[in-house]
Amino acid sequence: MKFNNYIPKTPLTIECNVEKTLEVLGGKWAFLVLRELFDGTQRFGALQRKITNVSPRALTSTLRHLEEHGVLERHVFPTVPVTVEYSLTPKGEDLHQILKEMKLCSAKWT
C-alpha cells in the first residue's frame, strides 16, 4: 500500500481555553445574570426586576445558555404556579474572580 497521498487530519481551529470562557460569557446579559447570582439563589422574576431592560425572552435564553454550559443550576419546585430558582454551580462561582478583575481593569482604564 502506498500512502503518498495521505494528508493527516488536522483540526480547523486550535482550541483555546480563553475562547471557551468567552463563549460562555459572551452573551449580552450573561455578566448581569452572574452578578445577581453571585449574591445567592434568585428566582426568574427577581432577576428580571434587577436586570433592567432585559426582556423575558432574552433572560430565558441567557439562563438556558448558562445552564447548558454548567455555570448555573435550575431548580423547579412543584407549586402553583411553578417556582423556579437559579443558583451558581462551582464552575459559576469560579467566574466571580474573573469578573472582579475585569471590573477593576475597567475602572482603572476608563
Side-chain angles (χ1 to χ4, degrees):
M1 288 184 147
K2 290 185 178 180
F3 292 102
N4 294 343
N5 293 333
Y6 175 74
I7 299 173
K9 293 182 181 179
T10 56
L12 297 176
T13 59
I14 297 173
E15 205 169 279
C16 173
N17 290 333
V18 173
E19 186 177 2
K20 288 193 295 187
T21 302
L22 290 174
E23 180 183 321
V24 172
L25 298 176
K28 178 178 179 179
W29 301 106
F31 288 102
L32 298 175
V33 168
L34 290 171
R35 179 192 68 192
E36 297 305 328
L37 292 177
F38 289 140
D39 291 335
T41 300
Q42 300 284 330
R43 291 184 181 176
F44 184 91
L47 288 170
Q48 191 171 14
R49 282 189 302 278
K50 291 177 180 181
I51 303 170
T52 57
N53 299 324
V54 66
S55 69
R57 183 177 177 182
L59 181 56
T60 298
S61 176
T62 300
L63 291 167
R64 285 183 183 155
H65 173 80
L66 293 171
E67 183 180 15
E68 287 169 5
H69 284 86
V71 174
L72 61 81
E73 294 176 322
R74 180 178 187 260
H75 305 279
V76 180
F77 299 93
T79 58
V80 178
V82 174
T83 301
V84 180
E85 293 182 342
Y86 297 90
S87 59
L88 293 175
T89 63
K91 182 178 180 179
E93 291 289 346
D94 279 353
L95 295 171
H96 199 188
Q97 189 61 37
I98 294 168
L99 295 179
K100 277 183 174 178
E101 292 298 325
M102 291 174 72
K103 182 178 178 181
L104 292 172
C105 182
S106 176
K108 180 178 179 179
W109 295 104
T110 55

